[in-house]
Amino acid sequence: MTRNLSFWLMKSEPYKYSWDDLKRDGSTYWDGVRNYGARNNLKAMKKEDLSFYYHSNEGKEIVGISKVIKEFYQDPTTDDDRWVVVEIEPIKDMKTPVSLAMVKADAALSGMALVTQARLSVQPVTRSEFKRVLSMGNTSL
DNA sequence: GCCAACGTTGGC
DNA sequence: GCCAACGTTGGC
């Protein structure tokens, strides 16, 4: 974590596309975002940025860290040119997954979008939040 | 440009 | 399965 990276968090329901699915595939394009806020975050992502992988509905925990390998382009699953995807690849498992309950219980993370904007599926994460979650997950890069 | 109706997300 | 939160749509 030496360069000027930005940090993110992306949500997926594990029965639709899980962290294990991403590891199996090696990389994927992040399709299906149909919300302007989340779309704007996708557009702001730069190559090499890091993103937590969060399992919503089932698990409700941050399970891994992925890296942006290709910046945004038109979502190939729709003709509507408002929507975009980025490509990511898995970098590392969280040694200990960090649950939503742990995030909510931690004062240092009270401002995380995961708590304050629960429905946003692609969220910015600050550097301090990123480091804090890594620490809580006994994980280093 | 307001706002009511509607649809979706996602925690519980 | 329920429902609160909130984003989107469309009538006016």
Side-chain angles (χ1 to χ4, degrees):
Chain A
M1 283 207 292
T2 54
R3 293 188 306 107
N4 194 24
L5 302 173
S6 295
F7 304 98
W8 309 95
L9 179 148
M10 296 157 104
K11 293 183 185 178
S12 184
E13 298 178 53
Y15 53 87
K16 289 183 180 168
Y17 194 84
S18 71
W19 176 243
D20 282 344
D21 291 331
L22 178 58
K23 289 197 291 182
R24 180 201 62 214
D25 291 348
S27 69
T28 195
Y29 58 82
W30 202 256
D31 67 328
V33 170
R34 297 292 182 268
N35 167 283
Y36 290 111
R39 188 279 311 269
N40 291 345
N41 289 331
L42 287 179
K43 285 188 164 185
M45 289 184 183
K46 298 298 182 190
K47 200 171 174 181
E48 305 294 325
D49 281 358
L50 298 173
S51 180
F52 286 130
Y53 201 102
Y54 176 80
H55 280 163
S56 60
N57 282 296
E58 290 177 10
K60 283 169 287 186
E61 57 191 9
I62 295 165
V63 291
I65 302 152
S66 66
K67 180 174 79 172
V68 177
I69 57 171
K70 187 165 184 179
E71 293 174 17
F72 78 90
Y73 56 93
Q74 161 83 40
D75 186 335
T77 65
T78 177
D79 291 332
D80 189 333
D81 63 10
R82 291 177 298 173
W83 308 119
V84 302
V85 299
V86 299
E87 292 185 10
I88 60 172
E89 70 179 17
I91 294 299
K92 197 155 199 172
D93 294 349
M94 294 299 286
K95 187 174 177 188
T96 306
V98 175
S99 68
L100 179 62
M102 290 164 67
V103 169
K104 284 184 168 176
D106 191 83
L109 297 178
S110 62
M112 264 191 96
L114 194 61
V115 179
T116 62
Q117 288 178 266
R119 292 183 49 198
L120 190 60
S121 63
V122 180
Q123 321 182 336
V125 174
T126 67
R127 174 174 290 268
S128 62
E129 289 165 351
F130 193 84
K131 290 167 76 173
R132 177 69 182 156
V133 171
L134 284 184
S135 166
M136 288 169 71
N138 301 305
T139 303
S140 57
L141 290 173

